[in-house]
Amino acid sequence: MKIAKASVIVTSPGRNYVTLKVETDEGICGLGDGTLNGRELAVASYLTDHVIPCILDRDPFQTEDIWQYLYRGAYWRRGPVTMSAIAAVDVALWDIKGKALNTPVYNLLGGKSRDGVLVYGHAGGKDVEQALEDVARHKEMGFKAVRVQSGIPGLAATYGIPNASGRYEPAERGLPPEYEWSSELYLRHVPKLFARAREVFGDELHLLHDCHHRLTPIEAARLGKELEPFHLFWMEDPTPAELQESFKIVREHTTTPIAAGEVFNSIWDAHDLIRNQWIDYLRMSLVHGGGFTAMKKAADFAALYHVRTGFHGATDLSPVTMAAALHFDTAIHNFGIQELMPHSEETDRVFPHQYAFRDGMMVPGDGPGLGVDLDEKLAARYEYQRAYLPINRKLDGTLTDW
Ligand code: EZ4
Ligand code: CO
């Protein structure tokens, strides 16, 4: 079998998605996601102008060789644009393999290690009580794990709070929106949020929180310590991770579990974090981390150090990545939890899929390949719209991490 054709489909059913469709000379089609929030067209061009000409006529079963060809063969290493493009190819080829062998992708990755994939949803509100109402709503929907974010007294708006439509979507059309930030106000507030959450919901529900890279290591250490009585499932991205040894400071001060990695694009971004056991959960995703071929190795490496996966699953990753993640989560041994931000109905209609939510767990479906399609006619109705993630400024105007 040979790769006969590959094309990039950019669609915007509420938000932008970049999808690679690979077709073989035997008529099998595979899909891969190459979406990079706020930088979508760079990946589309990388695929169309540089990658597709190199993969035609190759054997789609040769996922390892093709991955190495696109990674080592580019000479330039890593980076989110490159790795998302490689992932789009890799995931599409695994989809093709599954369809050619008439088996779900999880069977090619080790088979079923579990019956369902534990997922967490996003609850948020402009103050503590509204956030808790949203937690209650998630509990009613069946979630066993919920991430909780709330507005901070003294700050006009902050990360993770649903908009008027009841959804939380950080990317906005037009130029990047600007938010304000104060670690001082945030640190004062968050322990109160989780004290109330435990008071209202008891001990059973898993509670998570995302610091979204905003704290210094010692601030994160203080927060982790103050959250210890509330037994969080994890504290996410406590501090930016370019300097991996920062996490040593956080780790040495607190037993609150730590998750990091949604912005990583290579196992080398997490090498020190993992081998020093400074994190508990690796948040990389199949799309930004280079696909199944790369992430299977990353997960196996993490397993040696008691690090489990907790893959990124925000709505800026398309249903193709969600399907891929659920196959991966079903198969690997050191799975921890999967993030789930449900896609809009418009997006789900463009990408019909087999995966489903049941009692706080997700299942990938047992059909061949990934079990996700792309309705190209419908996709063509949603033209690309430029959109950006927000930027963040401290109260004195200094640009800081969003
Ligand atoms: O802000 O995916 O844990 N989830 C997150 C996400 C990120 C978005 C950025 O594109 O932090 O909601
Ligand atoms: Co996050």
Side-chain angles (χ1 to χ4, degrees):
M1 190 160 56
K2 282 182 172 181
I3 297 172
K5 195 180 162 198
S7 48
V8 175
I9 296 115
V10 178
T11 180
S12 193
R15 63 179 317 135
N16 298 314
Y17 293 110
V18 175
T19 309
L20 178 71
K21 180 181 172 191
V22 179
E23 296 166 67
T24 73
D25 58 352
E26 293 179 15
I28 300 178
C29 275
L31 295 180
D33 178 23
T35 306
L36 181 61
N37 203 351
R39 298 292 185 271
E40 297 87 358
L41 298 185
V43 184
S45 159
Y46 194 102
L47 283 165
T48 305
D49 299 322
H50 306 294
V51 169
I52 290 175
C54 300
I55 61 169
L56 299 177
D57 292 329
R58 289 177 187 277
D59 176 353
F61 271 88
Q62 292 180 334
T63 45
E64 183 66 36
D65 185 69
I66 292 173
W67 194 93
Q68 299 295 344
Y69 185 95
L70 295 175
Y71 183 80
R72 290 175 203 279
Y75 185 61
W76 311 108
R77 305 281 169 108
R78 304 160 59 177
V81 175
T82 299
M83 299 309 282
S84 301
I86 295 177
V89 174
D90 188 74
V91 169
L93 298 187
W94 283 86
D95 189 20
I96 288 172
K97 285 201 223 202
K99 288 173 179 164
L101 298 169
N102 195 27
T103 195
V105 169
Y106 64 71
N107 273 341
L108 307 178
L109 298 168
K112 268 192 183 174
S113 286
R114 54 194 53 79
D115 300 327
V117 168
L118 176 68
V119 291
Y120 71 92
H122 285 192
K126 67 176 177 24
D127 56 29
V128 170
E129 294 313 310
Q130 279 198 7
L132 297 189
E133 279 168 30
D134 205 19
V135 176
R137 201 171 60 83
H138 279 82
K139 246 190 108 174
E140 276 162 35
M141 288 189 276
F143 280 97
K144 299 178 197 321
V146 185
R147 188 188 88 163
V148 195
Q149 310 289 134
S150 99
I152 298 156
L155 294 184
T158 192
Y159 170 80
I161 310 308
N163 58 26
S165 71
R167 301 180 67 85
Y168 160 66
E169 288 288 356
E172 286 182 31
R173 288 172 177 170
L175 291 174
E178 299 203 5
Y179 289 102
E180 57 180 14
W181 181 250
S182 159
S183 292
E184 197 184 327
L185 296 178
Y186 169 80
L187 287 170
R188 227 181 271 165
H189 179 69
V190 177
K192 295 178 195 156
L193 170 66
F194 283 94
R196 264 300 278 157
R198 277 291 174 229
E199 195 177 271
V200 173
F201 298 103
D203 292 328
E204 193 110 346
L205 190 66
H206 294 306
L207 299 176
L208 299 80
H209 182 70
D210 194 347
C211 305
H212 224 263
H213 331 263
R214 288 160 188 214
L215 302 174
T216 63
I218 202 67
E219 287 169 348
R222 165 181 154 191
L223 182 64
K225 219 167 161 174
E226 291 185 11
L227 291 176
E228 277 170 24
F230 316 120
H231 297 142
L232 262 59
F233 188 96
W234 78 33
M235 171 169 81
E236 176 181 339
D237 289 328
T239 195
E242 285 97 329
L243 182 69
Q244 295 181 43
E245 68 205 56
S246 298
F247 280 68
K248 183 169 191 277
I249 296 173
V250 187
R251 189 59 144 186
E252 282 174 351
H253 285 92
T254 179
T255 56
T256 295
I258 299 169
E262 68 181 42
V263 300
F264 299 172
N265 52 72
S266 160
I267 185 58
W268 297 107
D269 293 331
H271 187 223
D272 294 340
L273 294 178
I274 293 171
R275 73 193 174 94
N276 290 302
Q277 302 182 51
W278 289 332
I279 60 170
D280 300 279
Y281 296 94
L282 182 64
R283 296 254 316 126
M284 291 174 68
S285 73
L286 285 160
V287 48
H288 307 133
F292 288 114
T293 299
M295 289 311 300
K296 182 66 167 70
K297 293 171 190 178
D300 287 343
F301 173 65
L304 302 179
Y305 297 92
H306 306 283
V307 175
R308 288 182 281 168
T309 62
F311 278 3
H312 194 199
T315 39
D316 45 315
L317 316 180
S318 92
V320 177
T321 290
M322 181 48 71
L326 294 171
H327 284 273
F328 195 91
D329 297 341
T330 296
I332 62 162
H333 180 252
N334 58 323
F335 164 74
I337 199 167
Q338 170 68 50
E339 182 178 27
L340 170 66
M341 254 176 104
H343 289 105
S344 68
E345 284 174 22
E346 274 177 311
T347 298
D348 281 339
R349 275 197 293 273
V350 171
F351 296 93
H353 52 76
Q354 287 176 16
Y355 60 76
F357 176 85
R358 243 180 264 135
D359 295 331
M361 314 286 266
M362 296 277 282
V363 286
D366 300 316
L370 293 173
V372 55
D373 285 317
L374 173 62
D375 181 335
E376 285 184 68
K377 262 202 192 133
L378 191 56
R381 299 229 295 256
Y382 299 105
E383 225 175 280
Y384 167 79
Q385 311 252 349
R386 179 174 293 116
Y388 292 95
L389 287 167
I391 63 120
N392 225 3
R393 289 189 189 278
K394 293 183 186 173
L395 297 179
D396 69 357
T398 309
L399 198 105
T400 186
D401 301 281
W402 172 71

